[in-house]
């Protein structure tokens, strides 16, 4: 069957459309130059002048996620140790565009998927500090995401479906052995934690060798912190995992029991398959999926039994 392509846009988001929306709703910004920065899975991102970015959903499902960012990033952002794109302006539907949209600060840097941080130990400390500060008990009305923060067993059908898509491109036997080990770990029994929900190398910015920001909080939700901790297998060499765990605990994160990290490894495995299965026209996504899968299977091969 082979990997799928990125979902088609339901609305054509162009710099001209952004200019019209700004002129109608935020006229004090209308004189600024606008250019497309990225056309992603869910959103189109346009630079607005030197200091701002317009973020517009390209699919209806993403519009609902953007509203979660608008609601919760102003609450969470001030307590986080790394910059996040807290909206500074809220956009409404307008002529030619049917959904809410945001204007957020421009955060300098390139995505870690293209430009990893210079020192992996600094990376481990920075990531752990960020997640330790984020993973606090979530508000009762935190967004619910049916795909993130949930028990790993609830992802089983999706894992099998992605394996079917990938066919001979992955070692199905090795994947299923690693997956079954992760699913067997006890489920999270603590209070639901705030989660980024989609913390992978394309949502982490790097500037001058260090993490300069964390972006794309559309999947913000609550639940098992293992979902976010899966980023260790996406970005960190194996020899830095211990430092990451120690720094996470020191930053106020949950106690690093083995069950938490076993589930985190399972999340990394599930997400690596999702990346690979939806990367036909996204080579950066494919590379992240391949690298993560290799890291998880290498770790699993070292486990007793």
């Amino acid at each position: 069957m082979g990997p799928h392509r990125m979902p088609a846009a339901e609305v054509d988001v162009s710099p001209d459309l952004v200019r019209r929306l700004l002129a109608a709703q935020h006229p004090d910004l209308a004189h600024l130059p606008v250019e497309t920065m990225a056309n992603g899975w869910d959103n189109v991102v346009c630079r607005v002048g030197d200091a701002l970015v317009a973020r517009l959903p390209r699919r209806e499902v993403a519009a609902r996620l953007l509203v979660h960012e608008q609601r919760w990033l102003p609450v969470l952002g001030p307590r986080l140790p790394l910059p996040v794109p807290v909206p500074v302006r809220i956009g409404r539907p307008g002529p030619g565009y049917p959904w809410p949209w945001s204007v957020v600060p421009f955060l300098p840097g390139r995505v870690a998927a293209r430009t990893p941080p210079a020192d992996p130990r600094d990376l481990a400390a920075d990531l752990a500090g960020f997640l330790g500060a984020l993973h606090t008990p979530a508000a009762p009305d935190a967004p619910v995401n049916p795909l993130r923060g949930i028990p790993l067993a609830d992802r089983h059908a999706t894992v099998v479906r992605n394996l079917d898509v990938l066919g001979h491109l992955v070692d199905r036997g090795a994947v299923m052995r690693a997956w079954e080990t992760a699913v067997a770990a006890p489920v999270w029994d603590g209070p639901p934690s705030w989660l980024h929900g989609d913390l992978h190398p394309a949502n982490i910015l790097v500037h001058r060798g260090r993490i300069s920001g964390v972006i794309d909080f559309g999947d913000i939700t609550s639940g098992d912190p293992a979902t976010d901790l899966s980023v260790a297998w996406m970005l960190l060499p194996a020899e830095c995992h211990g430092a990451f765990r120690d720094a996470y605990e020191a930053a106020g994160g949950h106690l690093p029991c083995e069950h938490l990290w076993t589930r985190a490894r399972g999340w990394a495995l599930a997400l690596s398959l999702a990346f690979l299965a939806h990367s036909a026209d996204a080579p950066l996504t494919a590379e992240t999926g391949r690298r993560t899968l290799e890291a998880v299977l290498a770790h699993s091969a070292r486990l007793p039994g």
Side-chain angles (χ1 to χ4, degrees):
M1 186 183 302
H4 300 305
R5 297 176 64 85
M6 186 170 68
E10 297 168 12
V11 172
D12 180 24
V13 178
S14 66
D16 282 343
L17 172 63
V18 175
R19 292 186 192 101
R20 293 196 301 272
L21 291 171
L22 288 172
Q25 301 180 27
H26 301 283
D28 58 314
L29 304 180
H31 68 286
L32 297 172
V34 176
E35 60 179 336
T36 301
M37 290 179 61
N39 193 334
W41 185 273
D42 284 334
N43 298 281
V44 176
V45 178
C46 292
R47 187 82 178 264
V48 179
D50 294 329
L52 298 172
V53 168
R55 181 168 161 82
L56 291 85
R58 62 195 289 276
R59 302 191 296 148
E60 183 177 8
V61 65
R64 295 193 293 271
L65 301 180
L66 185 103
V67 173
H68 295 160
E69 294 180 333
Q70 294 174 342
R71 166 68 178 88
W72 289 108
L73 279 185
V75 175
L76 297 174
R79 74 175 194 222
L80 298 175
L82 292 171
V84 299
V86 177
V88 296
R89 303 287 182 96
I90 302 299
R92 307 180 306 278
Y97 190 74
W99 305 310
W101 51 283
S102 298
V103 177
V104 304
F106 171 76
L107 301 180
R110 290 170 57 85
V111 296
R114 296 189 186 277
T115 308
D119 186 328
R121 292 200 171 270
D122 286 342
L123 168 60
D126 292 344
L127 270 179
F130 175 81
L131 290 174
L134 175 63
H135 288 170
T136 56
D141 56 340
V144 175
N145 188 314
L147 302 177
R148 311 297 171 106
I150 59 177
L152 277 176
D154 293 353
R155 295 277 306 197
H156 181 75
T158 302
V159 165
V160 171
R161 186 163 57 248
N162 288 334
L163 277 173
D164 290 341
V165 168
L166 294 170
H168 68 279
L169 298 176
V170 300
D171 183 340
R172 189 183 187 103
V175 167
M176 288 307 299
R177 288 191 292 273
W179 177 246
E180 289 164 3
T181 297
V183 171
V187 300
W188 175 247
D189 60 359
S193 293
W194 278 115
L195 306 177
H196 179 282
D198 196 25
L199 192 63
H200 57 72
N203 286 335
I204 297 171
L205 298 178
V206 176
H207 185 58
R208 296 176 179 172
R210 299 290 293 264
I211 298 180
S212 58
V214 178
I215 59 175
D216 195 350
F217 281 75
D219 282 310
I220 190 170
T221 188
S222 63
D224 184 357
T227 307
D228 284 349
L229 295 170
S230 62
V231 73
W233 283 267
M234 300 181 197
L235 270 177
L236 292 172
E239 60 269 21
C240 289
H241 283 201
F244 176 74
R245 292 170 61 157
D246 291 344
Y248 177 68
E249 180 181 7
H254 301 281
L255 292 177
C257 71
E258 285 305 315
H259 298 320
L260 176 63
W261 298 100
T262 299
R263 293 196 307 275
R265 192 168 64 249
W267 273 102
L269 178 60
L271 294 171
S272 73
L273 297 175
F275 295 155
L276 289 168
H278 297 86
S279 61
D281 55 351
L284 199 62
T285 301
E287 172 58 22
T288 298
R290 181 195 60 77
R291 185 173 59 249
T292 304
L293 180 60
E294 290 176 355
V296 170
L297 294 184
H299 188 129
S300 298
R302 296 192 296 269
L303 295 175

